[in-house]
């Protein structure tokens, strides 16, 4: 049965958009739009996580060794001091008087020894008198050294360069031996102590790099290296103590801080690609390789062996080499042997969104 002319014309007009739609679908299936990325060769490691506590590289609580009154305080709370700097002086007037008396006595005995030597040279004095005068001079020197050593106990100096804490005394206070006066910490390098299970002992060695973070500075990453590994394994926790050195030139870190530690073990150079570029199939893994030649772009499915995964990236053990171009976006429509339209290549500077927006 033949349709009227006007109805056949309407049917042809209706079939035109459908034909165009089917043609566009067929083209999309035969040449999908994709975004690629390159496999890169980078330094990779297996992270070992732990919690650690910070210690100052050098730390001491200064105290007196004699009983007396504080006469002088030469620092402010939290001040940076230098090695040998006088921090606290105790009242030493009596000892200073004894020193002056001993120095005067030494001068007297030196003069007597010189006169005896001159007389002995002219045979006017016995050799024994000269020796006695010299002995008394040496005794005076020894007495002065003893007083000077005692006076050193009245001066509390910084044993190393560092930062002092809060002082717990005031001028005029009576101090006794062993009383805590002020703390001193060397903070330019910090020691980070943490423990790891003994099963990882074979993977650790001095010089191994690590990163650490703290809640006090959530956006900061502190780098260091393992300085020493404990000689014993705790029989209860079955863990070994590890000490690392962290640079603290800006002075932000403080003793006692809790830090999250990530040790970079088994450091190696390996090929890495985005995890989204992996197509799993059972226990096997594939990528879609982009092959470009003579103006055409063709896809080739390739099996790869993967290693560790980290932060959206995956290590490739076999199947790819550095700088290979693979499908990063559009993998669902990509098929082995297909022709494809490469929109662009994503990298650290150009993301997928920017490439898609530029292709609109």
């Amino acid at each position: 049965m033949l349709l009227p002319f006007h109805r056949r014309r309407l049917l042809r007009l209706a079939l035109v958009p459908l034909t165009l739609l089917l043609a566009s679908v067929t083209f999309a299936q035969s040449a999908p739009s994709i975004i690629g990325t390159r496999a890169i060769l980078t330094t990779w490691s297996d992270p070992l996580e732990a919690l650690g506590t910070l210690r100052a590289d050098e730390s001491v609580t200064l105290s007196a060794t004699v009983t007396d009154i504080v006469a002088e305080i030469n620092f402010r709370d939290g001040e940076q001091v230098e090695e040998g700097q006088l921090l606290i002086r105790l009242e030493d007037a009596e000892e200073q008087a004894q020193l002056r008396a001993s120095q005067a006595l030494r001068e007297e005995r030196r003069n007597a020894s010189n006169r005896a030597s001159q007389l002995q040279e002219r045979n006017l004095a016995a050799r024994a008198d000269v020796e006695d005068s010299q002995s008394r001079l040496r005794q005076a020197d020894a007495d002065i050294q003893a007083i000077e050593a005692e006076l050193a106990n009245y001066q509390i100096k910084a044993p190393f360069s560092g930062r002092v804490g809060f002082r717990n005394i005031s001028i005029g206070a009576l101090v006794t031996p062993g009383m805590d006066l002020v703390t001193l910490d060397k903070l330019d390098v910090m020691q980070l102590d943490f423990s790891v299970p003994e099963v990882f002992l074979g993977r650790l060695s001095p010089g191994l790099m690590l990163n650490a973070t703290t809640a006090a500075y959530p956006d900061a990453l502190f780098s260091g290296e393992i300085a020493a590994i404990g000689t014993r394994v705790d029989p209860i926790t079955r863990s070994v103590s590890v000490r690392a050195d962290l640079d603290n030139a800006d002075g932000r870190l403080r003793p006692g801080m809790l830090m999250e530690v990530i040790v970079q073990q088994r450091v190696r150079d390996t090929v890495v690609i985005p995890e989204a570029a992996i197509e799993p199939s059972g226990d096997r893994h594939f990528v879609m390789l982009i092959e470009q030649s003579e103006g055409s772009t063709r896809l080739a499915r390739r099996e790869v062996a993967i290693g560790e995964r980290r932060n959206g990236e995956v290590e490739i053990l076999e199947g790819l080499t550095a700088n290979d171009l693979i499908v990063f976006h559009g993998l669902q429509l990509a098929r082995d042997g297909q022709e494809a339209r490469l929109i662009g290549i994503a990298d650290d500077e150009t993301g997928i969104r920017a490439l898609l927006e530029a292709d609109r």
Side-chain angles (χ1 to χ4, degrees):
M1 176 180 177
L2 296 176
L3 295 175
F5 173 77
H6 67 280
R7 300 182 70 178
R8 291 198 305 271
R9 182 179 180 185
L10 289 175
L11 181 60
R12 285 196 302 271
L13 292 175
L15 289 176
V16 170
L18 180 60
T19 303
L20 294 176
L21 178 60
L22 291 175
S24 63
V25 171
T26 302
F27 177 78
Q29 288 178 345
S30 61
S33 298
I34 59 172
I35 294 176
T37 189
R38 294 195 180 277
I40 60 173
L41 183 66
T42 186
T43 301
W44 192 269
S45 64
D46 300 334
L48 173 60
E49 299 182 358
L51 291 177
T53 302
L54 281 177
R55 295 164 46 93
D57 186 37
E58 300 285 353
S59 182
V60 66
T61 299
L62 300 176
S63 60
T65 58
V66 296
T67 300
D68 220 308
I69 295 173
V70 176
E72 186 179 339
I73 298 177
N74 295 319
F75 67 90
R76 295 186 301 272
D77 292 348
E79 182 182 3
Q80 178 73 25
V81 298
E82 301 300 322
E83 181 180 355
Q85 179 178 332
L86 178 63
L87 303 180
I88 301 171
R89 184 179 65 83
L90 304 182
E91 184 58 56
D92 58 358
E94 182 178 350
E95 287 71 20
Q96 290 288 356
Q98 293 177 2
L99 177 62
R100 290 191 295 271
S102 296
Q103 289 172 338
L105 180 61
R106 180 182 61 180
E107 188 65 24
E108 178 185 340
R109 291 181 176 178
R110 178 184 289 115
N111 293 335
S113 176
N114 291 338
R115 287 194 300 270
S117 297
Q118 292 173 0
L119 291 173
Q120 198 272 334
E121 289 175 357
R122 291 183 285 175
N123 295 323
L124 298 177
R127 181 63 183 175
D129 294 338
V130 176
E131 293 176 352
D132 288 344
S133 62
Q134 291 176 346
S135 177
R136 287 191 294 270
L137 177 60
R138 288 193 296 270
Q139 182 181 359
D141 288 335
D143 291 341
I144 290 176
Q145 292 175 0
I147 295 174
E148 288 176 342
E150 185 177 356
L151 278 170
N153 295 328
Y154 289 77
Q155 297 182 351
I156 301 173
K157 299 180 179 181
F160 50 82
S161 299
R163 191 172 297 278
V164 295
F166 298 137
R167 59 184 175 93
N168 299 320
I169 55 168
S170 299
I171 294 178
L174 178 68
V175 300
T176 57
M179 179 184 293
D180 294 347
L181 303 181
V182 65
T183 60
L184 177 63
D185 297 304
K186 187 175 183 290
L187 302 177
D188 56 341
V189 175
M190 302 295 293
Q191 295 178 347
L192 179 60
D193 292 343
F194 58 97
S195 298
V196 298
E198 64 174 320
V199 296
F200 296 107
L201 184 58
R203 302 183 184 180
L204 301 178
S205 62
L208 205 60
M209 300 301 297
L210 57 84
N211 295 321
T213 58
T214 176
Y217 308 105
D219 298 328
L221 185 66
F222 300 90
S223 300
E225 63 179 34
I226 293 178
I229 302 173
T231 58
R232 299 181 180 181
V233 174
D234 191 309
I236 298 177
T237 62
R238 297 301 175 187
S239 60
V240 62
S241 298
V242 180
R243 175 167 292 177
D245 290 336
L246 297 182
D247 181 68
N248 190 36
D250 54 8
R252 289 188 293 174
L253 300 178
R254 293 288 189 274
M257 271 184 165
L258 178 68
M259 302 201 78
E260 297 182 11
V261 187
I262 301 179
V263 180
Q264 308 298 335
Q265 56 176 340
R266 292 182 58 224
V267 180
R268 58 203 182 274
D269 291 332
T270 189
V271 175
V272 175
I273 65 172
E275 194 173 12
I278 293 290
E279 183 182 4
S281 178
D283 58 352
R284 303 168 68 187
H285 300 85
F286 298 88
V287 297
M288 199 64 73
L289 195 66
I290 301 174
E291 299 176 341
Q292 294 178 304
S293 61
E294 298 179 358
S296 66
T297 300
R298 186 172 295 276
L299 305 180
R301 195 168 187 244
R302 177 178 294 182
E303 184 175 2
V304 294
I306 67 172
E308 300 293 331
R309 299 173 186 257
R310 181 184 66 185
N311 299 330
E313 296 179 326
V314 60
E315 176 187 21
I316 301 299
L317 303 179
E318 296 178 1
L320 287 178
T321 59
N323 213 40
D324 281 348
L325 187 60
I326 59 174
V327 175
F328 185 22
H329 178 76
L331 191 61
Q332 297 82 356
L333 299 178
R335 298 292 181 268
D336 185 26
Q338 271 186 321
E339 289 279 344
R341 186 176 74 89
L342 181 61
I343 297 175
I345 299 175
D347 53 27
D348 292 338
E349 298 180 357
T350 306
I352 293 177
R353 177 176 294 182
L355 291 173
L356 291 175
E357 290 177 352
D359 188 55
R360 290 179 179 175

